[in-house]
Amino acid sequence: MHELSIVSSLIEIISKDAQGKGLREVTFVRLVIGALSAASPKAVEFALEYATKGTILEGAQVEIAVEEAKSRCTGCATLFEPQLPFLLCPACGKPASCFPQGRDVYIDYYEGE
Amino acid sequence: MRVYLAKKLREANSNNAADNRRFLEQYGVLMVNIMGSPGCGKTSLLEETLRRLSSRYRLAVIEGDLYTAEDAERLKPWAAEIVQINTEGGCHLEANLIGQLLTSDSPALLQTEMLFVENIGNLICPAEFDLGEDLRVTLLSVTEGNDKPRKYPLAFKEAQATLITKTDLLAYVNFSLEQAMLDLKKLNAEGAIFPLSVKTGEGVENWCHWLEQKLAEKRK
Ligand SMILES: Nc1nc2c(ncn2[C@@H]2O[C@H](COP(=O)(O)OP(=O)(O)OP(=O)(O)O)[C@@H](O)[C@H]2O)c(=O)[nH]1
Ligand SMILES: [Mg+2]
Ligand SMILES: [Zn+2]
């Protein structure tokens, strides 16, 4: 359940940024969860509902997008979408080790007033 | 108004991990992050490892545990320094918790040669949080079944070593060592694999030797 720690940093980052910009309320957040980030969108949603209570994000609508993973093969430079469980390069069979996309959870943007 | 952040939520942790790595580098301490399911044998492995290495090296342990200090007690006889972190329900350790210990007034943990961190028993979350370790080690006990690397690939994929533990029980459980090794190699071609049992001592020597080698490389 590290989703709770993900949600705490989301609240911390957005609160700080919104306060810095003089916003009183955050109304919308777009969050992107990588397919290989080991975070569950359902659990994030659930944690958000509770953790935002009493913060500048209370009541904000949160859109969660799941982003497919991409890997660049360190052997033959093929760009591919790695498949669980082995995440092998389809061209040369080497296990993926570099993920330009899909390994992270990040805030795309938020809206506030 | 709309504000684009494109901000990674684990960025703070990555930054803290990088700080930890710098401290460890400066003091020449080898940090080893031990991960694996509840009961896979992390504390038992540390007991045996410390027992074997403590006459030749100064060893420290950070014990991550949900609530209790029992595991730390078990390791006291062999560790030069030992610190307990209770996460109170938190399912993994984060780099800032380790950082607080490394940067305190008396960084006794840094006056050592190897620093072992026993992470929280869990095969998913700890793998997502870099602590600044030199070596990431994942345990897989034969009683868990050899499908675990396929089910939790990320825990094994980025490990410098996988330890297949409790091999003395192989005769009693349905675990194919051969299949597990094949899967692990496929997931992680460069990672070392050490089958071992702390009950019989079989294989423990190879693991300890590997650690000593890694320390020597770091201190060179
Ligand atoms: N037969 C056998 N039992 C073992 C071996 N290693 C550990 N055990 C047993 O496995 C059980 C759990 O071991 P621990 O070392 O406490 O496991 P752990 O991973 O530290 O557990 P948590 O910290 O609770 O996640 C204990 O009863 C140990 O005696 C082994 O090599 N052989
Ligand atoms: Mg333990
Ligand atoms: Zn390839």
Side-chain angles (χ1 to χ4, degrees):
Chain A
M1 280 300 291
H2 62 292
E3 284 82 2
L4 196 57
S5 101
I6 286 177
V7 164
S8 320
S9 33
L10 177 143
I11 295 173
E12 194 183 314
I13 291 166
I14 296 186
S15 300
K16 213 162 159 193
D17 195 82
Q19 269 148 22
K21 294 188 165 61
L23 301 175
R24 279 170 298 107
E25 176 181 33
V26 172
T27 51
F28 187 87
V29 179
R30 186 167 191 275
L31 182 67
V32 180
I33 297 185
L36 287 182
S37 71
S40 136
K42 275 246 159 5
V44 168
E45 224 166 84
F46 184 75
L48 267 170
E49 205 175 311
Y50 286 88
T52 53
K53 290 240 158 72
T55 73
I56 194 168
L57 280 100
E58 182 164 353
Q61 192 193 337
V62 182
E63 177 188 318
I64 298 179
V66 176
E67 178 182 69
E68 69 179 26
K70 287 244 166 68
S71 179
R72 174 76 65 187
C73 179
T74 51
C76 72
T78 299
L79 186 67
F80 63 102
E81 191 184 326
Q83 303 294 329
L84 288 167
F86 293 113
L87 316 170
L88 301 179
C89 168
C92 76
K94 203 173 186 296
S97 59
C98 143
F99 302 95
Q101 181 183 306
R103 193 75 177 84
D104 290 305
V105 180
Y106 67 90
I107 305 165
D108 183 9
Y109 64 82
Y110 74 88
E111 292 173 354
E113 42 204 51
Chain B
M1 75 193 255
R2 179 177 285 190
V3 183
Y4 283 91
L5 288 176
K7 185 112 177 129
K8 289 179 187 171
L9 291 179
R10 282 183 288 236
E11 194 169 280
N13 188 73
S14 307
N15 294 341
N16 292 332
D19 289 345
N20 293 352
R21 207 160 262 131
R22 259 196 307 279
F23 271 109
L24 295 163
E25 191 63 47
Q26 190 186 329
Y27 286 83
V29 179
L30 185 81
M31 179 157 120
V32 187
N33 184 1
I34 308 273
M35 300 185 283
S37 310
C40 66
K42 298 179 289 298
T43 310
S44 306
L45 172 81
L46 284 177
E47 273 178 311
E48 185 58 20
T49 307
L50 267 59
R51 192 181 69 77
R52 291 185 184 221
L53 295 178
S54 64
S55 61
R56 277 171 296 141
Y57 302 96
R58 280 181 62 81
L59 308 172
V61 179
I62 298 175
E63 257 298 322
D65 238 308
L66 292 168
Y67 301 103
T68 66
E70 280 165 36
D71 283 1
E73 284 302 317
R74 285 166 61 188
L75 297 171
K76 267 201 180 134
W78 322 108
E81 288 297 330
I82 183 155
V83 180
Q84 174 79 48
I85 300 180
N86 285 127
T87 57
E88 318 256 318
C91 54
H92 61 275
L93 295 175
E94 291 190 21
N96 65 334
L97 296 171
I98 308 294
Q100 281 163 14
L101 301 173
L102 299 184
T103 54
S104 66
D105 299 339
S106 56
L109 287 173
L110 292 172
Q111 309 302 331
T112 60
E113 289 158 294
M114 296 186 201
L115 168 57
F116 296 94
V117 179
E118 180 176 340
N119 219 309
I120 310 297
N122 177 332
L123 262 186
I124 304 174
C125 312
E128 300 303 309
F129 292 86
D130 185 9
L131 301 180
E133 68 271 12
D134 296 277
L135 303 174
R136 206 171 247 237
V137 175
T138 304
L139 273 57
L140 166 66
S141 59
V142 302
T143 51
E144 291 168 70
N146 57 261
D147 58 342
K148 292 302 167 291
R150 286 166 182 262
K151 279 194 175 158
Y152 303 96
L154 296 171
F156 296 96
K157 185 157 185 52
E158 286 157 3
Q160 274 71 42
T162 299
L163 274 48
I164 300 178
T165 63
K166 311 191 190 180
T167 51
D168 58 289
L169 300 177
L170 272 172
Y172 310 99
V173 293
N174 197 0
F175 183 98
S176 162
L177 193 56
E178 201 186 352
Q179 187 62 48
M181 306 266 270
L182 276 175
D183 285 354
L184 287 168
K185 274 282 163 227
K186 209 163 157 188
L187 268 174
N188 179 352
E190 275 106 55
I193 305 174
F194 299 106
L196 57 83
S197 160
V198 302
K199 188 114 181 240
T200 63
E202 191 191 6
V204 181
E205 174 94 40
N206 293 339
W207 147 250
C208 289
H209 186 69
W210 181 79
L211 283 174
E212 293 188 74
Q213 244 176 346
K214 294 290 177 188
L215 177 67
E217 280 167 26
K218 177 155 192 178
R219 295 214 151 193
K220 198 162 57 192

